Amino acid sequence: MDRPNYTIRLLAFLFPILCLAQTGTIKGVILNEFNQPIDAVNIKSDNNGVQTNNNGFFEIKIPANKNVKIIFSHVSHKNIIATFNLKNGETLEFNPVLKENVEQIETVVISGRKRKDVEGIVNIDPATLKKIPGAQAGIENLLKTLPGVSSNNELSTQYSVRGGNYDENLIYVNGIEVYRPFLIRSGQQEGLSFVNSDLVQNVDFSAGGFQAKYGDKLSSVLDITYRKPADNTVAIDASLLGASVALENVSQDSKFTSIVGLRYRDNSLLVDAKETETNFNPTFADVQSYLSYQFTDKLEVSFLGNASLNKYNYIPLTRQTNFGTLDNPQALIVQYQGQEKDRYQTLFGALSANYDVNDDLSLALVTSTYHTTEEEYFDILAQYALGEVNSNIGDENLGEVEFAEGIGSQLNHGRNDLDALITNIEAKGTYTKNENEFKFSIKYTNEDIRDRLVEWEVIDSAGFSINPPSSAAFNDQPYTPYEGPLEAYQNVRAQNNTTISRLQAYVQWSKRSTIGEHDVWYNAGVRSHSWTVNDQGTNQDVSQSVFSPRAQFAIKPNWDKDMLFRISGGLYYQPPFYRELRDQNGVVQPNVKAQKSIHLVLGNDYSFKMWDRPFKLTSEAYYKKLTDVNPYTLENVRIRYRATNNAKAYAYGLDLRLNGEFVPGTESWFSFGYLKTEENINDRGYIARPTDQRLKFAALFQDYVPNIPSMKMYLNLVYNTGLPGGSPSYADPYVFQTRLPDYKRADIGFQFVLVDKDKQFDSGWKKPFKDLSFGFEIFNVFNVQNSITNTWVRDVYSKRQYAIPNYLTPRVFNVRTTMRF
């Protein structure tokens, strides 16, 4: 046999095998109307068929690059006929819900691309939330690994997105907007995030260019869905930082479901590791519940409730901070007297009713109330000495302060109280006709805020009081006698009683279609927002209105390479919330206008195979033009607005994210972001905004020990370039344009899994458990000294001010166990 004939015969033999190898995979879980898995569902294609297991799970392979019809059938449920067209090697997750009606057959066309991809939404696996280590574990900890999302404070759950500040992010739980405390000024005061990771079923995040159905903010949307239980379970998570318990219950007729979460957190492990010695006694606790009752096939009523109590008792004792250079090392030594006592109590309740009028129209009515009472009381006297450090190697006094260059004291006093009651009522609906989907809503909000702000600070150096920076009289003691009145260095006093009424509405349209052989998706909508501010202090009533048009377009070309292109944008407004109305002196300014931003986002998703495993590269370029900007200063996590609209700004950047199975069976990702944002206040020229996070790199990596597959490893790595900041809060930003050091942090966790869904036991002490694991975590593995603010100390001799960095947490070890039964 000559070689050409051999080659032809070999190809003829391999051709049918190669054709058979061109397949895609569909997998998922089939649920009933009560979110319970259905077993023994028949899934049948032209030449293949499988059944769901006891957990409702199925997996079926279909030929690639062609339309394949699959029938999902069950003796007591309605059939679903779905048409799929997948690329070779593509895996699609499809989770249909079967209704108890065998008379009607539904037809669904699936293109192989999740709808959230065309909307520019990042979907996060809820199981990952509880695994990834972090000083503040949870959804916010995971968001900080995404491109465009930045935070330089591991003790805080707050984050900025693409040049925005913490107040520019929307957070929804089951479609209901939630709020954060008003008076928080540092990360270690925050305690628990509102979102309880133990209750989460779905996490969606959009970093910009989002739809009209979401509210009026300038930066991002975090959309959380709490799950409805499918069986009775108990889950426990405990560590040195606290504990949580989640209880899930389903009634016998499956009409009533409840999930309750209790959490307790103690930040002592982290705060006690910092350089300031303290007596720290925090209590952060909350209880959340999500209850649901299915009255009929069409009507469901649910309740979401939350009660939290955060107590922060802080007694600083001593502090020593070494800084300077090798040639000129210096140190700040502080002795403290006094204490801080803070209390934040919030109550939140939301009742919603969902009614399916018919297969095309569904309506919902949602009411919610949020009540917070906050107290921030402190009297702290800090007596400091600034001196030179012995740097002689081999000297027995190496590292000790030998000569004091400056001495002084600082007394801080605060008596801040706030009581806020926010009530919402919203009617919304969804109407579908053919390939068109319409969403609409009207919402009324009433905000009643009563606030008392009393803060002052007195500074003296070498026994002489220092005048405030705004004072015209310069205090030059001891060289020149000062005969003027004594003034506090900072003095803020205000009492406000403010009511804000809001009326919001939106309507939007979506459609999936084709242009030639290419799949396309459209979305367009508009929001309106009218509000009236009534302030009793100024006796003013100010009303304003804005309209916000938004649109999205996505196209998936019929190419060999799996590509998706998106463009989105619109005119976005942020009507002022109470915090934005309050100026630097604490006085409410009712005339503050809504900040305005024009968004443009261009995105691309490229899905491909690498190492025979699925990967996706997501790229987004964005530009924002902002007008009527309300300037602010940022100190730790406290934002103080000027309550004016005397600035304009811009932001642009590029976000890249590569995610996939770097290790088989696990999802990891690497993120890169470039951002530039500047503002021009009173036409003085453009300077960096407080959130100008120029470069960002992050990685979230999951792995396991090859020879010990039960040992899992989770790595959370973040690098951010330094933010503009560290200057005194009263400073002119055009004078103090310095940057804090770069933020570098790596957290790692190891988890040994004894029981999980793939490793169950029919006997022995492990039998009751559905999940059981033990592990330990190392926060700040490389013990990097990150700083969040500066303490400013003056030298009486040289008249210089020194910026002493306030460092965040060093390396900390934690142990942790999780179980579910």
Side-chain angles (χ1 to χ4, degrees), residues 182-383:
F182 291 76
L183 297 182
I184 294 293
R185 66 174 64 210
S186 69
Q188 65 191 40
Q189 296 175 337
E190 281 189 23
L192 296 163
S193 162
F194 182 94
V195 180
N196 188 333
S197 300
D198 294 332
L199 314 186
V200 171
Q201 173 181 291
N202 186 71
V203 180
D204 291 337
F205 179 74
S206 173
F210 41 86
Q211 300 176 11
K213 69 178 180 180
Y214 295 118
D216 294 295
K217 296 282 188 179
L218 295 181
S219 292
S220 74
V221 173
L222 176 62
D223 193 357
I224 305 289
T225 303
Y226 280 179
R227 66 178 176 273
K228 291 168 56 178
D231 55 8
N232 300 324
T233 61
V234 178
I236 300 174
D237 189 312
S239 75
L240 297 179
L241 288 171
S244 66
V245 178
L247 309 172
E248 303 183 26
N249 179 260
V250 181
S251 64
Q252 289 187 351
D253 60 4
S254 299
K255 289 189 175 183
F256 176 76
T257 63
S258 68
I259 182 169
V260 179
L262 298 95
R263 295 183 294 173
Y264 171 79
R265 182 174 176 86
D266 185 343
N267 277 344
S268 298
L269 179 70
L270 299 169
V271 177
D272 289 346
K274 298 173 71 173
E275 62 185 4
T276 301
E277 294 187 21
T278 65
N279 287 329
F280 186 53
N281 183 25
T283 300
F284 303 136
D286 80 343
V287 56
Q288 290 191 28
S289 62
Y290 177 52
L291 314 177
S292 176
Y293 189 82
Q294 192 82 32
F295 283 91
T296 68
D297 293 341
K298 294 179 176 292
L299 177 62
E300 180 188 42
V301 176
S302 60
F303 172 79
L304 174 66
N306 173 73
S308 68
L309 176 62
N310 295 344
K311 291 183 178 180
Y312 176 83
N313 297 331
Y314 181 74
I315 305 176
L317 301 176
T318 62
R319 165 186 173 181
Q320 177 170 341
T321 302
N322 295 328
F323 64 102
T325 64
L326 291 175
D327 295 334
N328 184 28
Q330 294 183 314
L332 173 70
I333 300 176
V334 185
Q335 300 287 336
Y336 294 98
Q337 296 180 37
Q339 62 180 323
E340 178 174 355
K341 286 189 174 183
D342 302 335
R343 179 187 176 96
Y344 310 93
Q345 178 177 296
T346 61
L347 298 172
F348 175 82
L351 186 66
S352 60
N354 297 276
Y355 183 71
D356 295 328
V357 180
N358 51 47
D359 290 340
D360 297 329
L361 177 64
S362 63
L363 301 174
L365 180 66
V366 181
T367 62
S368 66
T369 298
Y370 173 83
H371 184 216
T372 179
T373 55
E374 304 176 20
E375 299 174 353
E376 187 182 38
Y377 298 164
F378 55 86
D379 283 290
I380 297 178
L381 173 64
Q383 296 174 308

Side-chain angles (χ1 to χ4, degrees), residues 25-28 43 48-52 57-61 91:
T25 302
I26 303 168
K27 62 182 181 180
I43 301 103
N48 191 12
V50 296
Q51 276 193 340
T52 58
F57 177 81
F58 74 94
E59 182 174 321
I60 186 171
K61 292 187 179 296
T91 298

